[in-house]
Amino acid sequence: MAIMRLGRVEVRCPNWEKSIDYYKRVIGLIETAREEDRVYLKAWDEHDHHSVILKKADSAGLEHLAFKCEFASDLDLYEEKLNNIGIYTERVPAGVRIAEGEAVRFTLPTGQIVELYHKIEVVGNGLPLVNPDPWPDGLLGMHPTRLDHLLIAGEDVDGATKIFTDIFDFHVSEQLVAGEKNDQTIAKWLFKTNTAHDIAIIKGPQNKLHHFAFWLDEWVELRNAADIMAKNDVMIDAGPTRHGITRGTTIYFFDPSGNRNEVFCGGYITYPDSATITWTEDTIGKAVFYFERELNERFTTVVS
Amino acid sequence: METFKIEVNGKEILVKENETILNASIRQVGNIFVGCKGGACGMCKIKITTGETVDGIYSKSALPDEEYASGYRLACQSKPTTDMSILPIRERNKVLR
Ligand code: FES
């Protein structure tokens, strides 16, 4: 039994038409379905029906995030574990959204809605499973291979972290701490796959999205991504640069509705026995933006 | 080409036709905080003392209707239709360390 990966994010987009065009043409996601108030998208190398859902809404932000479980029975198991520690869960029936099976839904102490699911329609990555070429024709924009991770904000970072470590067997790859005894949590980076993080949680206003990130295979692709951003007048927040935390290379930028995106590349791999790395508050600049060694106020205060 | 004069906290900047107040402020160091530029974070919020605007699409969580009605705008979504005088709610971005 296990969560396998971050499966999807559903993001609210007030600037509806522009946001659809941006995610398809500028980011380069592929549309797999559409209804009145939702557009379903996938990155090219993902096999499942969608990993990003755009939702037409009055306010920006994260509608929900979801993890894909290996077995259908994982839903019962996690539901029981969550209920045992007093976390209320409900079932989202199959068919509420296109191509999705049933899900278990609960709310994190940081306010975000999380779903756990196993079933989703598989559409493939555009390549054959026998003797495939490395990539399909017709890719647009930055064309990341996949959705990689997200950073959420809220008040009780330790409480949310405990759910991930104790219930879902995530591990903490890195943490940023403050206080004289370094005992106050600013942020935690958590993994379940063997990347440096699948989700990170930062202290901040409750139930907010800091960013969600797409994976690029190579550092040079970040330069191309930056070119595409400049060409399309995308608001760049920071980068291209490198993180001290995770060692990944990065650009942060905003979608037309003001939700922050990231393209992320590299970083180390992790194992369940990887030791946790700690950064103290006095090195926060280097920890987040390794080259600049300083943070901009926008990065720390802007959330959606 | 029509341009409008905007007094931002006592300093005059010029806004070109079809330019947002925030972009004009960035060009002329008007010192309005630059956030997401997408109407979501509310960091570029301004209060109108005098003048009128037309506005793009923004998140209601960043600028609720009551605030709009009482003269607040998001500089990243707001274009002047008259000369104006405004006050930024949050001043320019700082580098933290
Ligand atoms: S900069 Fe974020 S709302 Fe204007």
Side-chain angles (χ1 to χ4, degrees):
Chain A
M1 67 131 219
I3 280 177
M4 292 193 293
R5 61 174 170 271
L6 175 66
R8 63 176 177 254
V9 291
E10 184 176 15
V11 191
R12 295 188 293 262
C13 295
N15 201 341
W16 183 235
E17 295 298 336
K18 256 192 154 174
S19 299
I20 298 170
D21 174 65
Y22 160 92
Y23 279 101
K24 288 175 66 176
R25 190 179 51 78
V26 179
I27 299 281
L29 302 181
I30 296 161
E31 179 176 339
T32 50
R34 190 184 287 226
E35 20 183 36
E36 170 68 25
D37 59 351
R38 284 197 183 97
V39 171
Y40 298 75
L41 303 158
K42 69 184 275 294
W44 75 262
D45 202 18
E46 292 167 330
H47 290 254
D48 287 350
H49 184 272
H50 55 265
S51 58
V52 175
I53 305 171
L54 307 181
K55 180 156 194 230
K56 196 177 188 175
D58 270 357
S59 290
L62 187 68
E63 186 76 5
H64 87 277
L65 66 118
F67 294 100
K68 187 174 186 184
C69 300
E70 191 176 358
F71 302 110
S73 57
D74 291 338
L75 269 59
D76 303 325
L77 210 112
Y78 285 136
E79 185 174 50
E80 197 186 325
K81 281 190 166 192
L82 287 164
N83 294 158
N84 283 346
I85 58 160
I87 292 183
Y88 172 79
T89 55
E90 57 186 323
R91 292 263 173 165
V92 182
V96 166
R97 290 176 299 256
I98 292 175
E100 294 179 8
E102 193 181 29
V104 168
R105 172 183 266 243
F106 69 98
T107 305
L108 283 173
T110 42
Q112 293 80 8
I113 293 170
V114 177
E115 288 183 7
L116 308 167
Y117 69 97
H118 168 67
K119 274 202 193 127
I120 182 165
E121 205 178 292
V122 174
V123 295
N125 67 349
L127 297 170
L129 291 173
V130 178
N131 308 330
D133 291 307
W135 44 269
D137 291 333
L139 300 176
L140 297 176
M142 305 173 204
H143 58 269
T145 51
R146 58 183 166 81
L147 175 69
D148 187 64
H149 68 267
L150 85 172
L151 171 57
I152 54 174
E155 278 148 29
D156 186 7
V157 176
D158 290 325
T161 300
K162 214 169 146 42
I163 290 176
F164 281 103
T165 53
D166 295 5
I167 307 285
F168 302 129
D169 299 313
F170 278 55
H171 301 273
V172 179
S173 57
E174 309 213 18
Q175 57 181 347
L176 184 57
V177 295
E180 261 176 31
K181 294 193 190 114
N182 290 329
D183 55 358
Q184 295 158 23
T185 305
I186 301 177
K188 302 259 187 196
W189 284 257
L190 296 134
F191 66 93
K192 178 68 189 165
T193 64
N194 66 347
T195 61
H197 58 337
D198 297 303
I199 185 165
I201 312 169
I202 190 165
K203 195 150 178 75
Q206 188 70 355
N207 192 17
K208 290 291 185 182
L209 170 71
H210 186 279
H211 70 268
F212 60 100
F214 297 102
W215 181 269
L216 293 176
D217 281 334
E218 295 177 43
W219 160 239
V220 69
E221 292 180 62
L222 280 182
R223 189 202 57 201
N224 290 344
D227 285 344
I228 291 165
M229 289 174 209
K231 201 187 252 191
N232 288 281
D233 211 14
V234 170
M235 169 64 187
I236 296 179
D237 182 15
T241 184
R242 182 205 270 277
H243 291 302
I245 294 167
T246 73
R247 295 187 214 139
T249 52
T250 176
I251 309 174
Y252 288 104
F253 50 105
F254 293 98
D255 77 14
S257 295
N259 298 298
R260 192 189 275 99
N261 293 161
E262 180 187 14
V263 278
F264 181 88
C265 166
Y268 52 79
I269 65 167
T270 52
Y271 304 100
D273 65 346
S274 295
T276 300
I277 295 168
T278 298
W279 296 79
T280 53
E281 202 192 5
D282 54 317
T283 61
I284 195 170
K286 215 168 153 177
V288 179
F289 296 128
Y290 188 69
F291 299 154
E292 296 83 349
R293 282 157 287 146
E294 57 190 26
L295 274 181
N296 67 51
E297 195 186 355
R298 179 172 48 235
F299 188 79
T300 57
T301 51
V302 169
V303 289
S304 66
Chain B
M1 191 172 79
E2 201 165 16
T3 56
F4 296 103
K5 285 188 204 124
I6 301 193
E7 200 184 293
V8 190
N9 225 351
K11 176 179 173 160
E12 191 176 284
I13 62 168
L14 293 177
V15 187
K16 294 192 245 178
E17 197 167 333
N18 245 331
E19 190 177 33
T20 62
I21 297 174
L22 186 62
N23 280 338
S25 164
I26 292 168
R27 268 195 311 112
Q28 296 157 92
V29 198
N31 289 345
I32 303 171
F33 191 98
V34 186
C36 65
K37 272 197 180 182
C41 69
M43 295 288 164
C44 66
K45 199 175 288 177
I46 53 167
K47 171 101 168 70
I48 300 175
T49 315
T50 58
E52 305 280 332
T53 61
V54 286
D55 297 272
I57 304 165
Y58 55 83
S59 174
K60 291 286 169 80
S61 57
L63 185 68
D65 292 343
E66 314 83 77
E67 284 193 10
Y68 188 93
S70 45
Y72 291 91
R73 297 290 184 273
L74 298 174
C76 70
Q77 301 302 318
S78 214
K79 297 174 184 175
T81 55
T82 64
D83 290 347
M84 299 181 76
S85 164
I86 60 171
L87 288 173
I89 301 305
R90 195 182 180 107
E91 296 260 324
R92 96 182 108 162
N93 308 45
K94 294 189 199 85
V95 165
L96 295 182
R97 77 192 77 197

